[in-house]
Amino acid sequence: MYDSEEFELLANSWRSDTRASTRDNEECAAQVDSDGHSSKKDGFGEHFAVGLTLLRRIRRIGRVLRAARARLGLWSAGLIAGKLAAEMVYYYAGMLPSEFYRVLGDRDSAAFGPLLARCVAVVAVAGACRAVLDYANGVLGVAMRHALTQNTQARYLRRGRLYAVASGRIDNPDQRIAQDIERLARSAADVLSELLLAPFLVAYYTVRCWTLAGVFGPVAIYAYFIVGATATQYVMAPIVRYVVAQEKAEGDFRFHHVRVRECAESIAFYGGETAERERANAALTQVVDTQYRVLWRQLGLGLLTQVFSYMGSTVSYVVIAVPIFLGSYDGLSGAELSSVISRNAFVSLYLIYRFSVIIEQAKRVVELAGYAARVVQLWEELDRADASTDACDVACAAVDSDIAAVELSVITPRGMVLVSNLNVRVSAGESLVVTGPPGSGKTSLLRAFCGLWRPARGEVRVPQAGVFFLPQAPYIAGGSLREQLSYPGEWGGCTRSCSDTEASRLLAIVGLAHIIRRAGNMDRLWSVQEWLQMLSPGEQQKLSIARVLFWRPPFAALDEATSALDAAAEAVLYRALSYAAITVISVSHHDGLNAFHKRRLALDGHGGFTLDSI
């Protein structure tokens, strides 16, 4: 296991700038106090504001969606066209009450039947339009999620990027990919479809209102909207940061339960259920507290938007009353005046309603801004990882068939020197064992050899195919036994599958022949949880060695990869690696493995080392 210093180094090693690497994780998801202020003074409000920052993030999201070529433009155009067509139906339906007033006022029974039939048909069409548009809106959201998630996964699950981001300063990248993108896409589909449609409808109903009520009608409604929009912008600005904080707390809470599930056996051995329950309750308290803060601040926004919405009917009465009291309709009968009032009321109310819809989108815009901030933060972290990995690639030049460290220095971001001015060459057949006290940088050196870490000085040269790395905790993937043996499916530019004969031979070599019977057959699919229950820790390490034997890389780095096995089993596996002509660089505390290595590199934990033959 890693000690605290080594773990800290693992978490921060990818950063190219030492000063940036010492920042606390709160820089990406700052905690906010009860007054809504950031605990840091580094532009927190600027990062999560609703304004130009949100527009820049939306523009970047739009570029990703355009690049995806997932017919999103076609879906969006179709949705807007469909909404416009539906609005024509809604307008026609809104005019029907005025005809009913006229027919009923004139007691025209002959016209009532056809009008009623027309009303039933229009209402049915309007309902069908609403259902179809809701479906199209949902499809647009799913298509956007697919495009954004696919783009993010393509960047995240790449060599050098996954490790850098997952162990970096950004919180919960899994939540940002699996949950925040989905919420972003759903919110964007809802908000954008309304906001993109708003100009057309506002322009049309402005003209209609002007025609029926004169210039006073549109002016009064526009003034009402400006007041409401200004007040809404003022109220919703501080809420975005709370949405971001809530999403971070949700991710931390979920991560805790995922961790408890994965380590259930260890927790049970320790009897740590009470401690984990207390930690889970603390994480839950953080989630609930942030939810209460969000709800409390959304209460003001909700009061404002609801009052604005309901007050619209009062404004519509004023708009209708002015031309009536000025005598514009003095020549009309009671039935005709009722019809005119109905038409004017519908047009005025609908124009106010369209403005109310824009105001009511404020809550969704707040959520959209929070989700957009978390997703684009992940992309920005990937940008930094790209730059860091490119710089690391420069420091790791492929040469011939050897691994070489030239004037290599590995230093923690806090300035602790692990290795200084190391010069070593590992040629084929000259296996190297790395020893040293805990925290001396043994694993860190392997990461530098494998290209996961960028050296502080000097360079690491590796073969073109790279170095096959086995950590102390084996990685078990879901799938079949055949897929377990051939994981990751592609390595060193080569794609291979494992035949039944080869699989049986490899499993027999590492002492896992019985696993075939336990797994049922080579191609039966098992989940990760089922594999972890099926294989003991020692069997998992044996399976990892079988993977190395399957791929037969020229070099393999083993970070205590046989620590769960006894000396006899370790000897069998190392002997198999030697027979396969695989040169290993091992981290081990077992003296029994010295026989399988030609040299020993002993680190002293202070930057010094000794290199001698065995």
Side-chain angles (χ1 to χ4, degrees):
M1 300 297 294
Y2 307 113
D3 61 31
S4 58
E5 185 63 36
E6 206 165 4
F7 184 81
E8 176 70 19
L9 182 58
L10 166 62
N12 296 288
S13 62
W14 63 273
R15 304 174 194 177
S16 58
D17 185 83
T18 300
R19 292 172 299 172
S21 67
T22 58
R23 296 175 185 170
D24 190 47
N25 285 347
E26 293 177 354
E27 182 176 345
C28 290
Q31 297 295 326
V32 290
D33 59 24
S34 59
D35 295 326
H37 300 293
S38 170
S39 58
K40 298 182 75 67
K41 298 179 180 180
D42 57 355
F44 179 76
E46 182 181 280
H47 287 306
F48 302 117
V50 178
L52 294 178
T53 301
L54 175 60
L55 292 178
R56 284 195 296 269
R57 287 167 174 157
I58 293 296
R59 186 164 60 248
R60 178 164 185 179
I61 292 169
R63 289 197 300 268
V64 173
L65 292 175
R66 285 196 302 272
R69 299 184 180 183
R71 300 182 182 178
L72 294 174
L74 182 62
W75 273 107
S76 301
L79 181 61
I80 293 174
K83 280 183 173 288
L84 287 173
E87 289 295 334
M88 296 176 61
V89 177
Y90 302 153
Y91 176 78
Y92 188 75
M95 292 291 103
L96 287 176
S98 64
E99 297 191 41
F100 274 107
Y101 289 150
R102 179 182 56 78
V103 169
L104 294 174
D106 294 340
R107 295 177 175 82
D108 189 354
S109 59
F112 181 76
L115 179 60
L116 183 62
R118 190 152 37 106
C119 179
V120 171
V122 169
V123 170
V125 172
C129 288
R130 172 58 60 187
V132 172
L133 289 174
D134 288 344
Y135 168 78
N137 203 66
V139 170
L140 177 61
V142 172
M144 292 172 65
R145 179 193 184 183
H146 183 232
L148 293 174
T149 304
Q150 197 168 48
N151 173 272
T152 305
Q153 289 182 159
R155 297 189 61 200
Y156 179 61
L157 298 175
R158 292 176 58 192
R159 181 171 178 81
R161 277 65 170 179
L162 170 64
Y163 176 80
V165 175
S167 61
R169 61 184 176 179
I170 199 163
D171 67 276
N172 303 308
D174 56 320
Q175 182 198 31
R176 296 172 189 251
I177 295 173
Q179 179 174 303
D180 291 341
I181 288 180
E182 186 273 333
R183 293 180 176 179
L184 168 66
R186 177 157 38 87
S187 297
D190 292 338
V191 171
L192 295 180
S193 62
E194 290 291 347
L195 296 184
L196 291 176
L197 189 66
F200 302 100
L201 297 178
V202 168
Y204 176 76
Y205 283 100
T206 297
V207 173
R208 295 295 300 163
C209 185
W210 192 314
T211 302
L212 294 173
V215 67
F216 175 75
V219 170
I221 294 172
Y222 272 73
Y224 179 64
F225 167 71
I226 291 172
V227 172
T230 303
T232 302
Q233 170 68 19
Y234 175 78
V235 172
M236 76 178 183
I239 302 177
V240 180
R241 67 187 68 187
Y242 285 95
V243 175
V244 175
Q246 178 182 338
E247 291 303 308
K248 180 183 183 300
E250 293 279 4
D252 293 341
F253 181 58
R254 186 187 62 192
F255 177 79
H256 177 81
H257 278 280
V258 170
R259 179 68 174 167
V260 167
R261 184 193 66 191
E262 292 177 345
C263 303
E265 184 179 50
S266 298
I267 294 171
F269 278 134
Y270 277 110
E273 290 86 353
T274 300
E276 295 303 325
R277 182 173 65 251
E278 292 175 354
R279 290 185 174 90
N281 286 336
L284 176 61
T285 300
Q286 183 68 24
V287 170
V288 172
D289 286 347
T290 55
Q291 285 182 324
Y292 281 138
R293 292 190 187 113
V294 170
L295 290 173
W296 174 247
R297 281 154 182 82
Q298 284 182 340
L299 174 62
L301 180 61
L303 287 173
L304 180 63
T305 56
Q306 292 301 318
V307 168
F308 182 88
S309 178
Y310 284 103
M311 192 65 70
S313 60
T314 303
V315 176
S316 70
Y317 296 147
V318 175
V319 171
I320 297 168
V322 169
I324 291 177
F325 294 147
L326 291 178
S328 301
Y329 303 118
D330 287 348
L332 300 180
S333 66
E336 291 172 336
L337 181 60
S338 297
S339 178
V340 170
I341 291 175
S342 177
R343 288 198 302 271
N344 284 7
F346 170 75
V347 171
S348 300
L349 280 173
Y350 207 80
L351 179 58
I352 293 172
Y353 165 72
R354 294 316 310 180
F355 280 129
S356 299
V357 168
I358 297 174
I359 296 297
E360 288 171 357
Q361 296 304 309
K363 182 177 180 181
R364 290 183 175 179
V365 169
V366 167
E367 295 175 347
L368 177 66
Y371 301 142
R374 287 180 60 80
V375 172
V376 175
Q377 279 178 346
L378 176 58
W379 292 351
E380 291 168 351
E381 196 74 3
L382 286 167
D383 293 341
R384 286 188 284 269
D386 289 342
S388 178
T389 302
D390 292 341
C392 186
D393 290 341
V394 173
C396 299
V399 295
D400 297 336
S401 59
D402 293 347
I403 296 176
V406 181
E407 300 295 330
L408 177 66
S409 294
V410 179
I411 303 175
T412 70
R414 294 181 177 179
M416 177 181 176
V417 179
L418 298 178
V419 180
S420 178
N421 298 322
L422 174 64
N423 288 279
V424 64
R425 177 177 294 273
V426 181
S427 302
E430 297 182 354
S431 294
L432 176 72
V433 60
V434 182
T435 63
S440 59
K442 303 182 295 298
T443 300
S444 305
L445 183 61
L446 291 191
R447 295 189 191 108
F449 282 160
C450 295
L452 293 181
W453 278 26
R454 181 186 179 189
R457 288 189 298 273
E459 65 177 1
V460 175
R461 300 174 181 174
V462 298
Q464 186 67 42
V467 181
F468 204 102
F469 184 87
L470 289 187
Q472 180 178 0
Y475 179 73
I476 301 298
S480 66
L481 180 56
R482 190 189 312 276
E483 291 171 331
Q484 292 288 358
L485 287 169
S486 60
Y487 185 85
E490 178 182 355
W491 189 84
C494 177
T495 301
R496 290 185 60 200
S497 61
C498 190
S499 66
D500 289 352
T501 302
E502 186 175 16
S504 299
R505 181 178 62 83
L506 292 175
L507 292 172
I509 290 174
V510 299
L512 291 178
H514 58 283
I515 294 298
I516 299 177
R517 295 189 302 273
R518 194 183 301 175
N521 57 59
M522 292 296 300
D523 296 307
R524 181 175 177 179
L525 300 179
W526 299 88
S527 67
V528 175
Q529 290 78 7
E530 289 171 328
W531 275 117
L532 294 177
Q533 293 173 0
M534 189 185 307
L535 301 174
S536 68
E539 289 174 328
Q540 294 176 31
Q541 289 189 336
K542 288 182 177 181
L543 184 60
S544 296
I545 297 295
R547 287 177 185 164
V548 180
L549 295 173
F550 170 75
W551 286 105
R552 297 190 69 175
F555 293 91
L558 279 60
D559 183 11
E560 301 193 57
T562 58
S563 58
L565 303 173
D566 57 38
E570 279 188 315
V572 170
L573 297 181
Y574 269 87
R575 195 172 293 112
L577 293 170
S578 178
Y579 289 158
I582 300 173
T583 303
V584 296
I585 303 176
S586 303
V587 169
S588 178
H589 297 287
H590 297 174
D591 293 337
L593 294 182
N594 290 339
F596 301 98
H597 300 83
K598 296 294 183 64
R599 288 183 295 173
R600 180 194 298 109
L601 176 63
L603 307 182
D604 61 13
H606 303 287
F609 60 87
T610 57
L611 180 63
D612 51 39
S613 300
I614 299 177

